[in-house]
Structure formats: structure tokens, C-alpha cells
Amino acid sequence: DAGIVREQAPLSLEDGQVIGVTTSGTKTPTINRALGLALIQTEFAKPGTKIFAQVRKRTLACELAEIPFYKRS
């Protein structure tokens, strides 16, 4: 979803179960997308997992990605 997830935003599954928290977030000029780093419970830390971040009074849909998430061509 459009928006930037900042530090200390709670992360949850669709059912509302909190599974982690962000450590940082920003919009990148290189790929023109928002991205963030987070600490996630190990059993949920799989690439492609759909999660949700609480940003102010909004819930933003996010997806976990592998590191490195960007490759130069």
C-alpha cells in the first residue's frame, strides 16, 4: 500500500496476530518504492508472506522480501 512504515510500527498477520516490529523504513530513490527492515518471529519470516503494518491510524499491506531485495542490471 502507499505509505511509509516507520520505526517501531507493529506488524501483524491478517488475523491481527502481532508477529514483529519495524526497525526502519523509508522511500527509496533507486526503485521508487517504500521499504523497511523489521524483526519478525522466525516462523513467519518467509519471502512472500503478506503482513500488515500499523501506521498512525492506517493499516498498510506489506510483503516480506529476501535480502538483497534489489539487483542492479
Side-chain angles (χ1 to χ4, degrees), residues 11-67:
L11 302 171
S12 61
L13 298 174
E14 191 169 12
D15 65 5
Q17 177 185 358
V18 177
I19 61 166
V21 64
T22 57
T23 58
S24 63
T26 192
K27 184 166 183 174
T28 66
T30 309
I31 59 175
N32 199 30
R33 294 182 70 185
L35 68 89
L37 297 176
L39 298 172
I40 303 283
Q41 292 177 24
T42 306
E43 60 267 28
F44 302 107
K46 296 173 183 62
T49 301
K50 305 288 185 203
I51 60 172
F52 298 88
Q54 289 301 126
V55 178
R56 297 183 185 97
K57 295 183 180 186
R58 297 176 38 203
T59 301
L60 301 179
C62 304
E63 182 178 331
L64 299 181
E66 286 189 62
I67 295 177

Side-chain angles (χ1 to χ4, degrees), residues 31 67-73:
I31 59 175
I67 295 177
F69 52 85
Y70 173 75
K71 293 180 183 174
R72 290 185 177 207
S73 41

